[in-house]
Amino acid sequence: MPSQAHQASEVTQALDEATVGRRHWLTVLTAGMGFFTDAYDLFIVGTVTVILTPIFHLSTSQISFLNSASLLASVVGAVSFGPLMDRLGRKRMYGAEVAILVLGALASGLAWNFTSLLVFRLVVGFGIGGDYATSAVITAEYANRRSRGKLVGSVFALQGVGLVAGPAIASAFLAGGVSPGLTWRLLLALGALPAASVVWLRRKVQETPRFSLEVRGDEAAAAAATAWVTGQQPALRTRGVEEGRGGRARPGARPRLTRSPFLLRLVGAAGTWFLMDVAFYGNSVSSPLILARLEPHGSLLHHTLTSLVIFLVAALPGYWLAVALLDRLGRRWIQVQGFAVMALSFALIWLVPAVTATTGAFLGLFALSYFFVEFGPNQTTFVYPAELFPTAVRGTADGIAAAAGKLGAFAGALLVPHLLVWVGLRGVMGVMAGASLVGALLTLVALPEPRGKSLDELGEGTPLATGPALEDPAEALPVG
């Protein structure tokens, strides 16, 4: 029987060198609709809590808990679904997390008081955490090496559409005179629709070829899934496959995330995701409160429309520019420059008092930070963990990194309403500047550049270049 390395090369070479086709984009759409829903559900709650404050008589602490409950639950979802994927398979877990999200969203729209809504938001968050862990891994394991960043990044970029959809729908309800009591219920329940539309598609996705071969040793399943996505049957030469008996190879020893270089990569992936989400979710979930501090006499509709414009003109283009350039400039360069511009934008708001006294200046810098969040670490921290680890522990590593990110998001969403009271708007921006600066430094120290490399090469544990030097983006442009 051929060696495991030879068997793997037949399947993984076919995957790595395949032309991006219809099945790749079907996988992206199936995964991406979950992220549209994730963004909608996570960010719409900031508007909902403003509407609910006089209805449920919410205190500042209750607003903070509602804004952050789903994020805390997503930590549990990510660390639960990640290891389960590595033990039970990607296919068996895919779709279950979105079904949980659907049930939680529908129930949230039927909540009758603060406590019931808090519980249902926890259910939503658990499903979202599972979605983060499963979608990136499955897309990466089907992707080719030259377009992997574009494919995985496209899944995440649909978050940007959800980010815009939330305030757009809320603005339509508010401008249309829909009663506040009905508006908040509709806003929460509508999050179930896009997720429900892909539950069936997700259950039909085949087990990834890499997991079938490298973890289960099932060559026949790996060959069939490779043919499904690439349109070409890999020429495995194992006797059992030739005779149609579904030959199996014995998988190697299970790698450990605690050994070099995977531990440093995990610290880098999890740490930078944590720091990015402190800034991103702290500002995004609490954007109605931040804008209310900036313009105390503005209406909720005005603040919601302002958020919509910022997301539409700054955040959404940033997502898709990152998708276009991930396989050209590289993940590392995009992440560092994104963190750096975020730190500069937040620092200017913090250190220059005139900025917060001038609405236009504040909104300009705030929008600039959003553009470089998306054309920066919000995209790359999602892509990185799905690439840097062996197949047998990829789900676990991705789940840990996603959980760290959502823990940062929870901290940001929970603390920003209180920080606005304690240190004011400028103080909040100072905290975000510090988090962004540390994120850039941690990227330089701990994370390699995976652009153009196969998952096999990245998962072998061979040290890859890290350190302060960044590749010249101009030299990277011919790749892809």
Side-chain angles (χ1 to χ4, degrees), residues 282-439:
N283 283 340
S284 298
V285 174
S286 299
S287 60
L289 297 178
I290 290 173
L291 293 173
R293 281 273 169 164
L294 181 69
E295 298 178 315
H297 302 297
S299 66
L300 176 59
L301 176 59
H302 174 72
H303 294 153
T304 304
L305 286 171
T306 301
S307 296
L308 174 61
V309 171
I310 291 173
F311 296 156
L312 190 62
V313 304
L316 193 59
Y319 278 102
W320 292 104
L321 183 61
V323 168
L325 297 179
L326 274 167
D327 294 308
R328 292 178 176 270
L329 302 182
R331 290 59 152 156
R332 196 162 176 257
W333 191 89
I334 289 176
Q335 182 155 308
V336 170
Q337 59 87 33
F339 269 132
V341 178
M342 287 165 59
L344 177 62
S345 301
F346 294 139
L348 288 173
I349 298 173
W350 170 40
L351 296 173
V352 181
V355 172
T356 51
T358 308
T359 300
F362 175 86
L363 292 179
L365 286 172
F366 201 52
L368 181 67
S369 74
Y370 263 103
F371 178 82
F372 280 95
V373 165
E374 311 311 346
F375 180 46
N378 198 30
Q379 272 279 11
T380 51
T381 53
F382 177 76
V383 176
Y384 255 129
E387 298 183 302
L388 297 180
F389 306 96
T391 300
V393 291
R394 186 172 292 125
T396 301
D398 199 286
I400 291 171
K406 291 300 150 281
L407 189 61
F410 168 74
L414 180 69
L415 292 176
V416 164
H418 295 287
L419 288 173
L420 285 169
V421 175
W422 299 336
V423 299
L425 180 56
R426 289 175 55 208
V428 168
M429 295 300 121
V431 172
M432 302 310 178
S436 301
L437 179 60
V438 175

Side-chain angles (χ1 to χ4, degrees), residues 7-21 23-24 138-148 151 207-214 221-235 391 394 453-456:
Q7 295 158 5
S9 69
E10 300 286 357
V11 168
T12 57
Q13 184 175 359
L15 291 169
D16 285 338
E17 305 305 326
T19 301
V20 176
R23 293 286 171 75
H24 288 101
I138 287 173
T139 306
E141 290 184 353
Y142 269 117
N144 65 0
R145 63 181 179 85
R146 286 186 173 269
S147 303
R148 190 174 57 242
L151 293 171
E207 185 57 82
T208 68
R210 297 180 190 276
F211 183 86
S212 292
L213 185 62
E214 297 172 30
T226 301
W228 175 81
V229 73
T230 67
Q232 298 180 349
Q233 184 75 28
T391 300
R394 186 172 292 125
K453 297 180 173 67
S454 70
L455 291 183
D456 287 343

Side-chain angles (χ1 to χ4, degrees), residues 261 264-265 332 384 442-449 463-469:
L264 180 61
R265 294 180 188 179
R332 196 162 176 257
Y384 255 129
L442 183 57
T443 303
L444 290 171
V445 170
L447 292 175
E449 178 52 66
L464 302 172
T466 56

